[in-house]
Amino acid sequence: MRKLIIFTLILSVVALSCKPELKTKKQTPQFEDLRLFSAAIKQFKSINNYVDSTSNKLSPAKIELGKTLYYDTKLSPKGNNSCNSCHNLNTYGVDNLPFSPGDEGGLGGRNSPTTLNASLHFLQFWDGRAKDVEEQAGKPILNPVEMNIPNEQFLIDRISGIDYYKDLFKQAFPNDPNPINYTNIRLAIAAFERTLLTPSAFDNFLNEDEHALTAQQKRGLDIFINTGCTTCHNGIAIGGNSFQKFGAIQDYKKYTKSKGTDNGLFDLTKDELDKDMFKTPSLRNVEHTYPYFHDGSVKSLKDAINIMAKVQLNKDLSNTEIEDIESFLKSLSGNVSEYAKTPPAILGNDVTPKNKRK
């Protein structure tokens, strides 16, 4: 009997030791500076929280078609432009020019924003005239100053005569009896653009990795929040989610030396209150997406930080504060995938504008 009792106790101990751990409620991270972390998660969201489109379901075939269209110079009549011409994925989705040349050589009227993380924005373009990347993707193709395709049917006819596009569209839209149409062109390009997300060190910080940021970057984040920059630059894109008047406190042209006049949202609405109103740009990858502002008037990130503090917040930052904020902003840079940066082999020479071919 005694042996039976001892054996039973041993089995009980073994059973308890093998019992799976109960999941406990997530604990508050033990940050050295919990105040800074708490302030950050109130203002920003990690890119890991991104919820994809419900109206444009992604698939490998649709993404591959979109990538092919994105790089194809046949989306311009003379073959001088592709989406990648102005939104070069090897230079963080921009061309680093104040204004971008179109198929005919003329310059656009506003700085080309990056396509990286564009799907995180609440609207598209500086004036918000497109509701999402699906709508945005079709507009530059038909713009006479940009890609200059004369009409939708022109492009449909051109693409319909290419064997590999017949296959790619059929694979991307298997339930569509006539898959080569302008709506599907837009959806495919947008599907590819929805993959252009660039998680960064700052996302790791928001995901409770205290050591993802350097000491200087943490100081810069603290200054960024306390100076009031988060009034406009917040959320998952660190911007891109509101309209703001550029030059809220002072005339920005005094500091940017901008030439010409751009009335911003006013050009669409004709409402006097919308003069100089522009969509706030995202600050993700901002160290690489110069020159800055809607007119590409400022090349230096330090200068852009200084100007924004003056004209938007009426603040004079010290050189040290500017350097610390710049360091923080560099933590918003992520990597573009090799897949995205590598042009489709199927296009051959059609990824290089004709005016640059030897």
Side-chain angles (χ1 to χ4, degrees):
M1 183 66 180
R2 183 181 177 188
K3 289 182 179 180
L4 179 60
I5 293 172
I6 294 173
F7 181 68
T8 302
L9 288 172
I10 292 173
L11 286 178
S12 299
V13 172
V14 171
L16 287 172
S17 65
C18 295
K19 188 176 181 180
E21 284 187 28
L22 294 174
K23 291 185 178 179
T24 58
K25 187 177 179 180
K26 194 173 184 180
Q27 300 297 310
T28 302
Q30 299 301 308
F31 275 39
E32 290 181 13
D33 191 347
L34 186 57
R35 174 197 58 82
L36 178 59
F37 175 76
S38 299
I41 60 174
K42 287 179 181 178
Q43 297 288 346
F44 309 105
K45 290 183 180 180
S46 166
I47 211 167
N48 293 353
N49 294 330
Y50 174 62
V51 178
D52 211 344
S53 170
T54 56
S55 60
N56 186 20
K57 293 293 186 180
L58 305 191
S59 70
K62 191 186 290 187
I63 292 166
E64 182 61 23
L65 170 60
K67 176 184 172 182
T68 305
L69 291 166
Y70 187 96
Y71 277 97
D72 197 345
T73 58
K74 290 191 290 296
L75 269 66
S76 60
K78 292 185 175 180
N80 290 327
N81 280 79
S82 67
C83 302
N84 196 63
S85 300
C86 302
H87 305 285
N88 192 328
L89 297 182
N90 277 288
T91 52
Y92 287 85
V94 299
D95 57 10
N96 297 125
L97 298 173
F99 302 113
S100 302
D103 189 54
E104 294 286 345
L107 297 178
R110 288 177 180 154
N111 180 254
S112 295
T114 178
T115 47
L116 301 184
N117 307 296
S119 60
L120 304 178
H121 297 204
F122 84 127
L123 295 170
Q124 302 298 313
F125 296 111
W126 284 99
D127 56 13
R129 64 184 181 274
K131 65 180 181 179
D132 51 30
V133 288
E134 283 74 20
E135 184 177 352
Q136 183 279 333
K139 291 183 179 295
I141 297 172
L142 301 177
N143 188 308
V145 180
E146 297 179 57
M147 298 172 79
N148 196 34
I149 289 292
N151 54 68
E152 294 180 6
Q153 193 60 47
F154 177 95
L155 183 58
I156 293 168
D157 291 343
R158 174 179 278 192
I159 288 176
S160 295
I162 301 170
D163 287 340
Y164 58 76
Y165 271 128
K166 294 177 184 177
D167 293 335
L168 288 173
F169 273 89
K170 186 176 181 179
Q171 293 166 19
F173 300 97
N175 299 319
D176 195 329
N178 298 297
I180 302 181
N181 58 64
Y182 203 73
T183 295
N184 287 348
I185 290 171
R186 293 190 296 102
L187 292 176
I189 294 173
F192 174 60
E193 291 184 347
R194 285 184 176 278
T195 70
L196 302 179
L197 303 181
T198 58
S200 66
F202 185 54
D203 292 285
N204 293 337
F205 178 81
L206 294 176
N207 292 331
E208 303 182 6
D209 179 359
E210 179 179 11
H211 304 292
L213 302 185
T214 67
Q216 184 181 26
Q217 288 171 338
K218 289 177 184 176
R219 291 198 304 271
L221 169 59
D222 203 11
I223 297 167
F224 188 87
I225 293 172
N226 290 322
T227 300
C229 305
T230 52
T231 302
C232 304
H233 296 286
N234 52 55
I236 193 169
I238 303 91
N241 57 5
S242 66
F243 287 110
Q244 298 292 336
K245 181 180 177 65
F246 189 24
I249 305 297
Q250 301 186 52
D251 182 2
Y252 70 86
K253 293 180 181 178
K254 174 182 176 182
Y255 300 96
T256 63
K257 311 302 180 186
S258 298
K259 298 177 182 179
T261 299
D262 187 335
N263 291 315
L265 187 59
F266 170 82
D267 290 339
L268 287 181
T269 67
K270 306 306 178 185
D271 185 336
E272 287 292 325
L273 295 176
D274 288 336
K275 279 191 174 179
D276 295 323
M277 294 284 282
F278 296 92
K279 186 186 71 173
T280 302
S282 165
L283 295 184
R284 288 186 176 275
N285 301 299
V286 68
E287 69 170 308
H288 302 289
T289 57
Y290 57 88
Y292 303 109
F293 308 132
H294 65 277
D295 57 3
S297 54
V298 174
K299 188 173 183 179
S300 162
L301 182 53
K302 284 189 176 72
D303 289 344
I305 294 167
N306 185 43
I307 290 168
M308 290 299 290
K310 288 179 181 293
V311 307
Q312 299 302 110
L313 300 167
N314 201 28
K315 300 283 182 69
D316 289 313
L317 299 176
S318 68
N319 289 335
T320 299
E321 288 173 322
I322 291 172
E323 288 173 359
D324 287 349
I325 291 176
E326 180 188 38
S327 181
F328 160 63
L329 293 180
K330 289 181 178 181
S331 78
L332 305 179
S333 293
N335 294 320
V336 184
S337 72
E338 287 302 317
Y339 167 77
K341 292 190 294 184
T342 305
I346 198 171
L347 292 177
N349 201 35
D350 286 335
V351 299
T352 304
K354 285 184 179 177
N355 59 5
K356 294 184 180 179
R357 297 175 195 171
K358 294 183 179 179

